[in-house]
Amino acid sequence: EAGVAQSPRYKIIEKRQSVAFWCNPISGHATLYWYQQILGQGPKLLIQFQNNGVVDDSQLPKDRFSAERLKGVDSTLKIQPAKLEDSAVYLCASSLDTNEQFFGPGTRLTVL
Amino acid sequence: KQEVTQIPAALSVPEGENLVLNCSFTDSAIYNLQWFRQDPGKGLTSLLLIQSSQREQTSGRLNASLDKSSGRSTLYIAASQPGDSATYLCARKSDSWGKLQFGAGTQVVVTP
């Protein structure tokens, strides 16, 4: 069974630029999550989708971050404009129900 | 404020010793608890998932226990090997739709 796919794996941008990350969850998984992991910390949930509807986006900085999950499968997370403090690893995860979550390899973002 | 704490932050043991990693949470409400492994530059690999109705889960050399009354979970890794070197994170879900709350992790080094 293929795991959660993410791209790109690495991205370096200047502050105030925009960036987008892509995630393809495990086939059949209705729930998709985006997490932000700052160096030395545990991941923090940014947004949770159930199919193509948003379940929780309470910790998403909506002035600069946006996410969508069209057709309830793939998802994209966008940052515009990026700030220095957005440097982190962005992890995508999916789950079949509300139980065990499976994570992708992540995208390491560096904002200069 | 609901928090998840992992102690110690780092641990170094010689090969063959048993590892004991601790995870505590301030709110006793728990739906499930999940232990993950994270290798440098990689995503999270799910190790064990304990439901609130369970007291422990085992997989090979790994055993995780859950004590809801004291708000603690412990991950035991028997007969450690250099390949066990990684960061181990625990994450608590307080209800079926609640977000995973992660600890900051315990960085483990197993020396040959």
Side-chain angles (χ1 to χ4, degrees):
Chain A
E1 176 182 89
V4 177
Q6 289 188 248
S7 68
R9 291 296 314 278
Y10 306 92
K11 191 73 177 178
I12 300 174
I13 61 172
E14 305 256 333
K15 60 182 179 183
R16 290 187 289 273
Q17 284 187 322
S18 62
V19 64
F21 312 127
W22 173 82
C23 173
N24 181 245
I26 293 173
S27 178
H29 282 196
T31 310
L32 184 147
Y33 314 79
W34 282 102
Y35 290 86
Q36 180 193 58
Q37 185 177 23
I38 292 172
L39 188 64
Q41 299 181 17
K44 180 186 78 171
L45 181 71
L46 293 175
I47 189 166
Q48 176 181 343
F49 291 95
Q50 176 71 14
N51 295 309
N52 59 352
V54 175
V55 173
D56 185 348
D57 64 356
S58 58
Q59 297 189 90
L60 186 75
K62 298 179 186 63
D63 58 334
R64 298 183 300 105
F65 286 63
S66 64
E68 60 182 10
R69 191 184 184 197
L70 300 176
K71 301 180 182 179
V73 181
D74 294 7
S75 176
T76 56
L77 175 70
K78 296 179 182 177
I79 307 175
Q80 182 180 10
K83 293 185 175 181
L84 296 177
E85 58 261 36
D86 298 332
S87 293
V89 176
Y90 291 84
L91 296 162
C92 180
S94 69
S95 63
L96 182 60
D97 45 32
T98 57
N99 272 322
E100 191 171 11
Q101 295 186 22
F102 297 89
F103 282 74
T107 296
R108 182 175 297 276
L109 174 67
T110 302
V111 182
L112 303 176
Chain B
K1 178 182 177 183
Q2 299 175 340
E3 289 185 348
V4 179
T5 304
Q6 290 188 249
I7 294 172
L11 184 62
S12 180
V13 299
E15 182 177 4
E17 271 199 16
N18 297 331
L19 285 163
V20 180
L21 308 179
N22 298 300
C23 172
S24 62
F25 35 95
T26 55
D27 187 325
S28 60
I30 183 164
Y31 180 76
N32 64 41
L33 189 134
Q34 199 166 353
W35 281 94
F36 296 89
R37 169 186 172 135
Q38 187 171 34
D39 293 284
K42 302 286 181 64
L44 277 65
T45 300
S46 178
L47 297 174
L48 291 167
L49 173 72
I50 311 176
Q51 301 291 356
S52 61
S53 58
Q54 299 173 317
R55 300 194 76 169
E56 65 177 350
Q57 278 282 13
T58 298
S59 175
R61 295 184 294 112
L62 276 60
N63 173 275
S65 64
L66 176 63
D67 184 339
K68 291 187 294 182
S69 61
S70 64
R72 292 184 181 183
S73 178
T74 302
L75 178 67
Y76 301 89
I77 303 177
S80 61
Q81 303 168 359
D84 295 328
S85 298
T87 297
Y88 293 82
L89 297 106
C90 67
R92 182 272 299 266
K93 179 177 279 195
S94 55
D95 57 65
S96 63
W97 285 107
K99 60 174 76 69
L100 276 181
Q101 295 170 305
F102 281 85
T106 295
Q107 185 175 15
V108 171
V109 174
V110 181
T111 55

